Amino acid sequence: DLHCLDAKLGVDSNALYRQPALREMQTLDETQQIFAESLAANGTLQSVALIKWRIDEQGARHFSNAIRQNASLISIDLSNGSFGQGIGDAGVAHLAVALEANCTLTSLGLRYNNIGDLGAQSLVAALQVNRSLVSCDVAGNRKMSEAAGSKLAARLNSNVIC
């Protein structure tokens, strides 16, 4: 599935357009990087669901840059959709740093991303600065203890849109 016609998002006068590009050896990481770079520059897209994109730590790094730079995005779903590798605690640490610089994102989907207590702690720490995120779906992250999930939920409940 990596040898296919992809639709690269581009930005022209703050509008999305589709630019087909046939790439013989495009990797999943390259696809995620291209999309994240386009998302970072886009000023109109408000919601994006990238469910089952098999985003790992490196992909989380790409999307954290987009979250840091995009001021129009209010919802992004990076859910894995299965019990695979996922973003993990290290990937969530990248996203947490981005959340500290973002004041528009209100919803973040991270289902089935192999996130544990360290990842939850990173998110809780970021939410000490970020007051806009009010929803973070972490269902299916079996490594996360109930206590860590409860701390995250409590922190989210204290946030208001800035």
Side-chain angles (χ1 to χ4, degrees), residues 117 144-152:
D117 290 355
M144 188 181 299
S145 69
E146 188 174 328
S150 294
K151 286 180 185 177
L152 177 57

Side-chain angles (χ1 to χ4, degrees), residues 7 19 95 97 111 133 136 148:
Q19 176 185 1
L95 295 173
V97 170
R111 293 180 308 278
L133 194 72
C136 183

Side-chain angles (χ1 to χ4, degrees), residues 87-156:
I87 291 170
D89 291 335
V92 169
H94 296 300
L95 295 173
V97 170
L99 287 173
E100 291 178 4
N102 181 291
C103 191
T104 57
L105 198 68
T106 61
S107 178
L108 176 62
L110 295 172
R111 293 180 308 278
Y112 301 103
N113 263 300
N114 207 24
I115 300 168
D117 290 355
L118 289 175
Q121 290 170 5
S122 295
L123 290 170
V124 169
L127 292 172
Q128 298 295 327
V129 176
N130 176 301
R131 306 296 290 161
S132 63
L133 194 72
V134 294
S135 173
C136 183
D137 187 351
V138 292
N141 287 289
R142 297 186 207 178
K143 290 182 171 184
M144 188 181 299
S145 69
E146 188 174 328
S150 294
K151 286 180 185 177
L152 177 57
R155 186 64 228 149
L156 285 165

